[in-house]
Amino acid sequence: MADSTGQEPTEPGHTGAVAADPYDRIAWRDLYARSAALRELAAELAAHHAHTTDLLADAFLAAYLAAPRVREAAEMAPSRLFNREVVAELAASPGFAALRRETAGDPYAAALAVLAEAPALRLLLDRTEPVREAADRAAEARRSAGRPARTAGETARQAGATAGALGAGATSADGAAGPASAPAAPAGQAASRAEAAARQALEAATPGIRAAARTATAQAVRVTREEAALMRAWGVGHGELERMPYEERARLAERLRTGRLARWAELIGRFRQMADGERARKVENATGELIGVTLGDDLSRVLPSELAHLGLPELRAVFAARYAAGELMLYDSRGEQTTGQGAVIACVDTSHSMYEEGPGGITREAWSKACALALLDQARHARRDFVGILFSAADKLQVFRFPADRPAPVERVLEFAETFLGGGTSYQRPLSAAAALLAEEFDTAARGRGDIVLITDDECGVTEQWTREWQEARHRLGFRLFGLAVGAPTATASGSVLEALCDNLRPIEDLTDVRAAADLFRLI
């Protein structure tokens, strides 16, 4: 029923349980407009329950805001007190702080959390329908109680205006208002009773709301962490994700979850972590692996404690004397070749046999692609070009180039990881293609000492003419060839083709062991 102004009276108080400025609510509205999943969820809940879109907005803002504040119950519209209780319990859940580490300031992650909370919220709404019905009755009773008072006030104003027009003998405003205001007292009492009943129903439901909120938060933490770990495994950084439009990020997440190599994301992540650890073990400007301390005059390997003597005038002469005598303390290392400067090229066998599974259901292809992606990381950290060459039979080859001076688009990385050629195995064509790329780099940019990593599960022959050309290219360009024989012990046997070609060759028997390739990441 409309009041005398023609407008339906509204209940007092806020409809949003989380205090937020207009810009934060715009973030919710924009995301809601872009997310079909959120709109479908809202439509599904709204078909059976009232005020659920407001509840979803509150859950989003609680996860998204830097410092969310849940309004006091006295600030809320009676019909939204249930929403306020749910959000307050979400915020008080033991896992909420962990959830916000993934979602604060990230609208996509906050929306993902809301969708993850949906099953628990849906069940809660079904079980607590009487509680929300009681709140709606209280709200309607409060609105009804307000209508007689507004009518009495309007009558009084009209009577006052009439009295002013007719003079002192006219009916007073107070007299006109008296009869009209009489129904206000019973209506107010009914509203108070309805509100008390709604409060009691909400208090009785609080333990169930708390349990549902904890379940919802735990589910949201699991889902958001899993997606964050998936993105990290594929090398997609948090900064890149924040700059990515919502629709693109949603498509990427779906592709990573459902793609052909999705179940090996954990292996890819372990490879990348191992490579990070090996990079940390490197000694800058030193040759080989650090094994201790020795004496000498190589200033590129001098210990920081020796260099500190140069900062004290009274010790500079001592430093100079020890330098002249070759008695400075230096990092000592095993004699390995220095890191290359040219491109890092991963030649990955994608013949039919690479589909074969090893321990833990990991295929040879998954292991080799995970290693190749870690090599891509290695190259980018060293500001070196990376090239992925997928090969099988002599007529099947695909090249993916990732220049050091340009970003590596995640779509291109995924295409490299997911491409599989099938067929037999030929070494000559991929290795020739790799040597040609290094020759091009040497001729145009004067960069030599590139590194080629050949990952295969088979052995094949090479011609004498090709071998001569290969050795000439190696001598001119100074590159190294590392070999990884995955599940093919005969390929690493004495006298094998791989042994003759490679500077560094190892068999990979346990596909769950990423450390089998660890020294690659110290040498490359």
Side-chain angles (χ1 to χ4, degrees):
M1 176 178 176
D3 61 18
S4 59
T5 64
Q7 302 293 322
E8 182 68 24
T10 58
E11 58 182 318
H14 293 281
T15 57
V18 178
D21 63 37
Y23 295 103
D24 294 324
R25 295 203 174 274
I26 288 173
W28 159 252
R29 288 195 294 270
D30 286 348
L31 195 73
Y32 184 83
R34 291 190 175 99
S35 173
L38 278 178
R39 294 194 302 275
E40 290 169 5
L41 174 62
E44 176 201 342
L45 296 180
H48 304 284
H49 311 289
H51 318 306
T52 49
T53 303
D54 287 339
L55 176 59
L56 296 181
D58 284 331
F60 169 85
L61 291 169
Y64 171 69
L65 294 182
R69 181 182 73 84
V70 179
R71 299 185 195 276
E72 297 296 329
E75 302 178 68
M76 297 300 300
S79 61
R80 306 305 198 278
L81 283 173
F82 177 84
N83 289 0
R84 186 259 172 204
E85 189 68 20
V86 172
V87 176
E89 293 297 344
L90 285 173
S93 298
F96 191 69
L99 174 63
R100 286 183 35 74
R101 282 194 288 272
E102 304 291 344
T103 61
D106 186 341
Y108 174 90
L112 182 65
V114 173
L115 294 171
E117 292 165 350
L121 294 179
R122 187 183 294 112
L123 184 60
L124 174 65
L125 289 168
D126 289 341
R127 290 176 174 175
T128 56
E129 182 66 23
V131 178
R132 283 169 295 103
E133 288 177 349
D136 285 341
R137 285 194 296 272
E140 178 57 32
R142 180 55 60 194
R143 284 193 292 269
S144 298
R147 289 186 188 112
R150 280 188 292 274
T151 302
E154 181 61 25
T155 302
R157 284 192 295 274
Q158 292 175 357
T162 303
L166 297 178
T171 304
S172 70
D174 291 340
S181 61
Q189 293 169 1
S192 297
R193 287 193 297 271
E195 289 171 357
R199 282 194 299 272
Q200 290 175 357
L202 186 58
E203 289 172 2
T206 295
I209 294 173
R210 182 175 299 119
R214 292 185 176 188
T215 300
T217 301
Q219 178 71 358
V221 170
R222 184 186 66 80
V223 169
T224 54
R225 279 182 173 172
E226 284 179 356
E227 181 155 314
L230 185 65
M231 294 294 181
R232 285 194 298 271
W234 285 96
V236 186
H238 186 70
E240 184 179 358
L241 288 175
E242 286 190 332
R243 294 190 297 271
M244 198 177 290
Y246 177 86
E247 296 86 348
E248 181 181 345
R249 186 168 170 182
R251 286 194 301 270
L252 172 62
E254 181 65 18
R255 183 175 179 182
L256 293 183
R257 281 193 296 267
T258 61
R260 198 164 56 82
L261 294 180
R263 66 191 180 109
W264 295 297
E266 190 270 339
L267 176 69
I268 294 169
R270 283 197 287 127
F271 252 107
R272 285 188 149 126
Q273 290 174 359
M274 181 271 293
D276 284 343
E278 294 303 320
R279 277 194 294 272
R281 292 180 60 193
K282 282 187 175 183
V283 180
E284 189 176 359
N285 297 323
T287 302
E289 180 184 0
L290 175 65
I291 59 173
V293 175
T294 187
L295 299 178
D297 60 0
D298 185 351
L299 295 178
S300 69
R301 294 189 290 136
V302 67
L303 265 62
S305 59
E306 290 279 29
L307 290 175
H309 293 161
L310 293 175
L312 300 173
E314 61 271 22
L315 293 179
R316 289 174 187 167
V318 176
F319 180 92
R322 295 180 64 182
Y323 172 67
E327 295 180 351
L328 292 175
M329 288 190 294
L330 311 176
Y331 286 116
D332 193 13
S333 58
R334 289 194 177 97
E336 295 173 339
Q337 297 182 47
T338 55
T339 298
Q341 298 300 316
V344 176
I345 302 179
C347 297
V348 181
D349 188 346
T350 59
S351 59
H352 281 311
S353 56
M354 293 293 282
Y355 265 133
E356 292 186 19
E357 291 187 355
I362 299 171
T363 65
R364 298 171 180 179
E365 180 207 9
W367 194 96
S368 63
K369 294 286 183 63
C371 183
L373 291 173
L375 288 169
L376 168 60
D377 281 355
Q378 187 83 353
R380 298 197 74 77
H381 276 86
R383 296 180 176 85
R384 300 169 66 185
D385 291 351
F386 176 83
V387 182
I389 297 178
L390 304 180
F391 71 93
S392 56
D395 61 340
K396 293 185 177 181
L397 189 85
Q398 194 161 346
V399 178
F400 296 82
R401 303 185 71 162
F402 298 92
D405 59 353
R406 276 174 266 168
V410 66
E411 293 290 332
R412 186 67 171 163
V413 173
L414 288 175
E415 185 182 357
F416 167 61
E418 293 180 334
T419 298
F420 192 87
L421 302 178
T425 303
S426 170
Y427 293 167
Q428 289 188 186
R429 190 175 177 203
L431 291 178
S432 294
L437 288 166
L438 292 176
E440 176 189 344
E441 183 181 43
F442 182 80
D443 294 338
T444 59
R447 286 199 300 270
R449 302 199 345 262
D451 292 309
I452 303 171
V453 180
L454 176 63
I455 310 175
T456 183
D457 72 337
D458 201 359
E459 185 178 17
C460 64
V462 294
T463 67
E464 184 178 341
Q465 176 62 30
W466 181 88
T467 303
R468 282 198 297 270
E469 293 172 354
W470 172 258
Q471 295 297 347
E472 289 172 2
R474 173 183 287 187
H475 178 73
R476 182 171 83 91
L477 302 172
F479 60 77
R480 298 174 294 181
L481 176 61
F482 298 85
L484 297 173
V486 184
T490 58
T492 60
S494 178
S496 69
V497 173
L498 274 180
E499 185 191 44
L501 290 176
C502 296
D503 301 287
N504 185 307
L505 174 64
R506 82 228 33 253
I508 306 299
E509 296 302 324
D510 184 358
L511 299 186
T512 64
D513 180 16
V514 300
R515 298 206 62 81
D519 66 330
L520 286 178
F521 300 94
R522 292 196 301 274
L523 298 173
I524 292 178

